[in-house]
Amino acid sequence: MEALWLETLGTICERVAHEIKGALNGVVVNVEVVRSRSAKADVSGASLHQYAQSASSQLDVVIAMTEAMLALTRPPRRPLSIAQTVRHVDALVGAAARADDKRIELQGMVDAVGTTSASPDVARLVIGAAFIAAVDASTDLVCSATPGTDGAALCWEVRGGGRESESIPAIDPAVLALAASEGIEVQKNGQQLSITFPR
Amino acid sequence: MKHEKAKILIADDEQAITAGLSAILADEGYAIDIAPDGQKALERLSEDRYGVILADLKMPKLDGLSLLRELQAKQIPTECIIITGQATVDSAVQAMQQGAYDYIEKPLNADKLNRLKALIPKALEKFNVQQKNRELTSRIEGLTHYGELTGQSEAMRGIYQIIDAVAPSNASVLILGESGTGKELVARAMHAKSERAKGPFFALNCAALPKEILENELFGHEKGAFTGSTNEKPGAFEMASGGTIFLDEVAEMSPDIQVKLLRALESRQVRRLGGKKEISVDIRILAATNKDLQKAIAETELREDLYYRLAVVEIVLPPLRERTDDIKLLADEFLHRYASQNGKQITDFDAAAWDWILSYHWPGNVRELKNAVERSVIMARGDTISVTDVMPRHLRVAGEVPTSVTIPVGSSVNDARRQLTLRTFASTGGDLARTAKLLGTSPDEVRRDVMGLLSDAGAGASSEAGGSGEEASNGKHSLPDLMSAARPTAPAKKPLPKKR
């Protein structure tokens, strides 16, 4: 289980590294503009605002990614918040995919999906693996959720049916075996991947 | 050197970085454009000229390496600085191998930005040098004239490029080439293109002057240096100081003058004949020769150390026969020049004249062509020049007389002797005494050889024509007939004369 999660985390880090560096560079470069221009006597504070603002917003991006990364590296809380985990993975894998011009939409219902009684480690692993598989399949994805009393369902779907080549790839059988042992149902149907978590 | 308003393109999909970078570089005085991906960058570079492009390796649509490949394939002139994350240093090295100017690793902190600021002027310098070179090459490709030189052949364009490259330096140049190829014109063009153009150009023909006079011309003399030297006289080195001296036929210079010349070249100081003080001179030496220099050095006619001093750069001028593309251009130019100078309404050569001009091997090179055209303009009566106007007299009599004799392996000594005699006889225009002198034999021997061939040729000609052989026995063969009979390259048409 631990090895599978470390492998998934490694994949997430690899994908998001460029985005973190890019955002950090945005901070550094814009701070440098502010630093060098503010040293000149004839420069007004207003003219620096744009660059200070840009540095600040890039810093927000770095903070969000760092927080998501830290959250995923900590042991998960019991019961696991499915929505929060999806948001953390999206802040990293989704951000990297969006930088590659992919369209990833998380529908509002995701936040209402609640928690699961399944092992938080396994549930988190399944969410991470499913998100990566779905992002690899298409350039245009939508993630929706169905809260229910018996179980909560997450579904990734290639928007508009997609092309034939855009079928969601298979998830590692070892992950699927762990999911089954915890009562998590994973169903793949061509361009759709759905996961049902026990309540 | 600051490149004010030099144009730089930033290709990166990170808006925060491009905005910050463009502000930093705009503060440095550059004009900045931004492309959000590699494809857009390529479009911008195709439409406009940017001295430098800063390209992120990882970009949507077309990444930095692919962009670099496209730039190379489409020969778009720019210098590319790759910006890369640490994890992609291998790719950056690959980019360098593909022609990127340099690369900078992220994060772009203050140190890296300072390095970038230092790199850009160097990249722009390289771009500007290459840009000038490209402009020069394209200008030279369309050139038919360069200074007083005329020619648009590849060989001459190569010469123009060398002159352009070498002229601004102070390097000594040795110009090699057959007589009449334009060695002095090259020297004049080099002087005119150099920073010494405002100074004097002093040309001396070392072969035309006796040793003492040449020494005097080069170095000058003090009053009373020799009998009759009532005044001091500065030499060429002094008079041409700040300019250029052109020493033609330099290999003909006597050995002791060569020593003095070498010393002057090394020390940039000269001493007048009879003088005691050294005079500093600021001079550039251009020299020329039509001699085989390896042979001249081997036979100690030319000092090897002087050769190396003179031949810092060597320019070898092609003979006219090796740049036939230029013959028409030159002939046309000479025709119009001399027609205008002589007040004649001559517009062209006739077809036969052109055939002859374009097929002749011009052993005297451009000078011979120039003289032939000048003479033909003077002699011509109509508005076009005929082949008889342009062809030199000795060739009109004898047909084209090659300046060499080819004797096939296996020829007998007698055949070889006869061919040599007849060719020489033809080249002198039928002058027995001169032929004998050239061959180191007697006029009687030449006469015997010639008469013997006349008999043989006459018999052959009569036999071919079905005639009686009377013409030959009367000795009425023309020189072209003789040449034709003696020509070894056409044995099938007219067999070589039989042994007597």
Side-chain angles (χ1 to χ4, degrees):
Chain A
M1 162 67 222
E2 199 172 325
L4 285 171
W5 178 237
L6 282 177
E7 192 183 325
T8 305
L9 260 187
T11 305
I12 292 171
C13 286
E14 192 184 329
R15 292 189 182 201
V16 82
H18 183 259
E19 303 319 308
I20 293 179
K21 280 185 184 173
L24 273 173
N25 271 308
V27 175
V28 172
V29 168
N30 284 284
V31 165
E32 180 59 22
V33 177
V34 174
R35 190 194 63 76
S36 61
R37 286 195 175 176
S38 61
K40 295 174 186 167
D42 57 344
V43 175
S44 70
S47 72
L48 301 175
H49 178 261
Q50 172 195 348
Y51 302 101
Q53 185 66 45
S54 186
S56 167
S57 61
Q58 289 298 299
L59 201 54
D60 287 344
V61 172
V62 177
I63 289 167
M65 287 182 182
T66 310
E67 280 182 346
M69 185 74 77
L70 290 173
L72 292 177
T73 52
R74 279 194 296 262
R77 288 181 187 170
R78 182 181 291 268
L80 182 82
S81 163
I82 298 169
Q84 206 170 39
T85 307
V86 170
R87 288 284 173 195
H88 287 152
V89 178
D90 180 61
L92 302 168
V93 178
R98 287 184 193 99
D100 280 342
D101 267 0
K102 290 190 174 184
R103 196 172 157 206
I104 316 288
E105 186 194 347
L106 292 191
Q107 289 191 338
M109 289 298 282
V110 170
D111 290 322
V113 80
T115 59
T116 176
S117 58
S119 153
D121 288 315
V122 174
R124 190 168 66 172
L125 171 65
V126 173
I127 292 170
F131 207 127
I132 291 168
V135 160
D136 285 348
S138 174
T139 54
D140 196 353
L141 272 179
V142 60
C143 177
S144 59
T146 314
T149 47
D150 294 338
L154 277 179
C155 178
W156 282 271
E157 192 173 1
V158 175
R159 199 191 299 262
R163 292 189 299 271
E164 207 169 293
S165 60
E166 293 184 327
S167 64
I168 294 172
I171 294 174
D172 187 337
V175 175
L176 293 178
L178 279 169
S181 69
E182 287 292 327
I184 301 170
E185 280 180 43
V186 179
Q187 284 189 319
K188 193 173 86 70
N189 178 19
Q191 295 174 329
Q192 199 178 56
L193 177 71
S194 60
I195 308 168
T196 308
F197 297 92
R199 194 46 91 184
Chain B
M1 182 180 159
K2 193 79 177 173
H3 295 266
E4 294 294 338
K5 291 294 168 194
K7 289 186 80 173
I8 294 175
L9 181 66
I10 301 173
D12 199 331
D13 55 327
E14 302 280 354
Q15 205 190 337
I17 295 179
T18 55
L21 257 185
S22 67
I24 289 167
L25 297 178
D27 286 351
E28 293 291 301
Y30 301 112
I32 309 295
D33 277 334
I34 291 167
D37 58 59
Q39 191 59 47
K40 283 273 189 308
L42 191 60
E43 285 167 21
R44 295 245 173 166
L45 285 159
S46 304
E47 291 160 3
D48 209 342
R49 186 146 291 187
Y50 294 91
V52 169
I53 171 174
L54 306 177
D56 192 5
L57 258 192
K58 195 165 184 276
M59 284 188 289
K61 292 181 184 168
L62 194 67
D63 64 27
L65 278 182
S66 305
L67 173 62
L68 202 55
R69 272 194 292 274
E70 287 290 324
L71 293 177
Q72 298 273 335
K74 294 184 172 165
Q75 296 185 326
I76 295 173
T78 191
E79 292 301 328
C80 187
I81 297 175
I82 293 285
I83 298 172
T84 171
Q86 271 182 323
T88 50
V89 169
D90 284 348
S91 307
V93 171
Q94 198 183 335
M96 294 287 288
Q97 286 168 345
Q98 284 184 17
Y101 180 79
D102 210 332
Y103 72 93
I104 288 197
E105 278 179 56
K106 289 176 181 175
L108 293 175
N109 55 24
D111 283 349
K112 301 275 176 61
L113 287 170
N114 283 337
R115 184 166 168 254
L116 182 63
K117 286 181 202 171
L119 263 182
I120 289 174
K122 291 179 190 165
L124 283 170
E125 192 73 48
K126 185 180 173 197
F127 171 79
N128 288 336
V129 167
Q130 293 194 335
Q131 187 64 15
K132 274 186 191 165
N133 196 27
R134 278 187 288 271
E135 285 167 8
L136 184 66
T137 304
S138 84
R139 184 171 63 79
I140 280 174
E141 272 170 8
L143 266 189
T144 56
H145 292 78
Y146 187 98
E148 296 170 73
L149 291 159
T150 299
Q152 57 186 3
S153 59
E154 208 176 326
M156 287 311 286
R157 289 204 304 263
I159 298 289
Y160 302 159
Q161 277 183 320
I162 296 172
I163 297 172
D164 257 328
V166 176
S169 77
N170 216 21
S172 298
V173 178
L174 185 60
I175 306 160
L176 305 172
E178 290 179 11
S179 192
T181 47
K183 295 186 286 294
E184 183 167 341
L185 298 185
V186 169
R188 285 185 185 279
M190 203 166 294
H191 171 72
K193 290 270 171 186
S194 73
E195 287 176 4
R196 298 173 170 272
K198 286 180 184 169
F201 177 84
F202 208 101
L204 265 177
N205 188 320
C206 303
L209 298 170
K211 178 191 150 191
E212 292 75 17
I213 295 178
L214 177 62
E215 191 174 3
N216 190 20
E217 287 294 319
L218 281 171
F219 304 107
H221 64 256
E222 294 290 355
K223 185 179 175 182
F226 47 82
T227 311
S229 57
T230 51
N231 292 309
E232 61 171 30
K233 175 185 176 291
F237 273 96
E238 282 177 72
M239 287 194 286
S241 193
T244 307
I245 286 188
F246 173 58
L247 300 174
D248 201 2
E249 306 296 353
V250 72
E252 304 294 336
M253 202 178 262
S254 70
D256 43 347
I257 301 185
Q258 286 185 30
V259 174
K260 287 189 174 181
L261 178 61
L262 181 64
R263 192 178 154 275
L265 281 171
E266 283 172 346
S267 66
R268 304 279 154 183
Q269 287 188 321
V270 291
R271 191 188 298 167
R272 291 178 183 172
L273 296 177
K276 288 179 181 168
K277 67 173 181 186
E278 298 284 355
I279 300 163
S280 293
V281 288
D282 169 25
I283 205 80
R284 182 185 196 183
I285 302 275
L286 306 177
T289 182
N290 58 8
K291 273 206 161 184
D292 176 350
L293 286 182
Q294 296 307 322
K295 193 167 167 240
I297 291 168
E299 292 174 0
T300 66
E301 285 176 28
L302 180 69
R303 291 179 64 98
E304 196 169 0
D305 44 8
L306 179 61
Y307 166 75
Y308 288 119
R309 274 279 169 191
L310 292 173
V312 175
V313 177
E314 256 185 21
I315 295 180
V316 182
L317 282 177
L320 189 55
R321 64 182 170 278
E322 286 178 16
R323 51 183 186 115
T324 48
D325 296 356
D326 292 335
I327 295 177
K328 189 169 191 310
L329 182 73
L330 284 159
D332 260 333
E333 180 167 314
F334 294 143
L335 174 67
H336 291 111
R337 182 192 300 176
Y338 292 119
S340 167
Q341 280 179 13
N342 289 283
K344 291 204 165 186
Q345 299 295 318
I346 300 171
T347 53
D348 206 350
F349 299 91
D350 68 19
W354 270 126
D355 281 348
W356 184 82
I357 288 169
L358 296 174
S359 60
Y360 184 53
H361 62 294
W362 298 108
N365 294 297
V366 182
R367 187 183 292 129
E368 184 185 7
L369 174 62
K370 187 175 78 162
N371 292 344
V373 176
E374 184 176 13
R375 183 185 60 246
S376 65
V377 167
I378 293 165
M379 302 302 286
R381 292 184 178 175
D383 60 357
T384 54
I385 291 175
S386 69
V387 68
T388 49
D389 293 329
V390 75
M391 193 188 283
R393 195 187 66 84
H394 69 280
L395 296 183
R396 285 204 298 276
V397 175
E400 187 181 321
V401 181
T403 52
S404 60
V405 182
T406 305
I407 297 167
V409 172
S411 301
S412 70
V413 172
N414 280 341
D415 271 348
R417 173 197 163 92
R418 229 185 337 260
Q419 279 187 39
L420 182 63
T421 304
L422 285 164
R423 278 298 162 81
T424 313
F425 183 63
S427 76
T428 62
D431 186 331
L432 276 177
R434 193 150 168 260
T435 306
K437 193 178 175 188
L438 285 170
L439 292 171
T441 180
S442 70
D444 283 341
E445 277 190 65
V446 173
R447 185 180 290 112
R448 267 203 303 278
D449 279 338
V450 172
M451 291 313 291
L453 184 67
L454 280 173
S455 306
D456 288 347
S462 302
S463 162
E464 276 172 27
S468 62
E470 201 177 349
E471 192 185 354
S473 61
N474 288 343
K476 286 182 182 173
H477 281 282
S478 68
L479 203 49
D481 287 341
L482 271 177
M483 287 316 303
S484 185
R487 194 164 286 150
T489 49
K493 288 181 183 171
K494 201 166 265 189
L496 284 169
K498 291 171 188 169
K499 281 184 187 175
R500 290 163 59 207

